[in-house]
Amino acid sequence: MRKLTPLDQLTAALDQGLRTVFASHSASRPTPQPAARPEGELTAADRALSAALMRVNHVGEVCAQALYHAQALSTSNPALQTQLEAAAREETDHLAWTEERLAELGGRVSFLNPLWYAGAFGVGLLAGRAGDAVNLGFLVETERQVEQHLARHLDRLPAQDAASRAIVAQMRDDEARHADAAENAGATPLPAPARWLMRGAAKLMTLTAHRI
């Protein structure tokens, strides 16, 4: 197989970014379904809240695509590259599920998705250039924070919105598994300032994507 040149890699990265931000997505797994759908229809206020929360989750998956692909692009470790690319494919399911649920709720994706993707891609490149242990540590911290974020959304989603809750619960479980796999692969914990900075950036994104 021909080794990709920097131009090939740049072209592939641009193509991936455009498809993530602007294309519709298909999941490789069925959309998670609730075990039992509670009685009662969603009120207008419930639908608006669910749509806002699922838009935030969709932004998170846009960022996940950018992070994973940038981290895979910037590592020279074939095994780690394979692990990151596999995680990105699974995150594509999350992207498709949240996209589908947003449409069902009458919501929309964030207008700032191109900005979120570009920023996350840049951060992923930096993490990848810092070495495999740090790259994996960044993955662990990202997934742990996302896992906590999704748990909070399960507390905030309307009780009767079983469809959204089933999706978020499966996403939370997947993120925990990704973090465990990265820890087992030799991740080094990130220093506290890096974790705080990541939390601050995530909070800014969450607050903005909730409305825009």
Side-chain angles (χ1 to χ4, degrees), residues 15-37:
D15 177 68
Q16 178 64 43
L18 291 171
R19 285 189 286 112
T20 297
V21 173
F22 297 110
S24 58
H25 301 88
S26 299
S28 61
R29 293 176 289 170
T31 303
Q33 298 296 321
R37 190 177 297 273

Side-chain angles (χ1 to χ4, degrees), residues 172-190:
R172 178 201 56 195
D173 293 346
D174 288 345
E175 308 300 1
R177 183 161 40 79
H178 294 163
D180 290 342
E183 284 183 338
N184 294 335
T188 187
L190 297 185

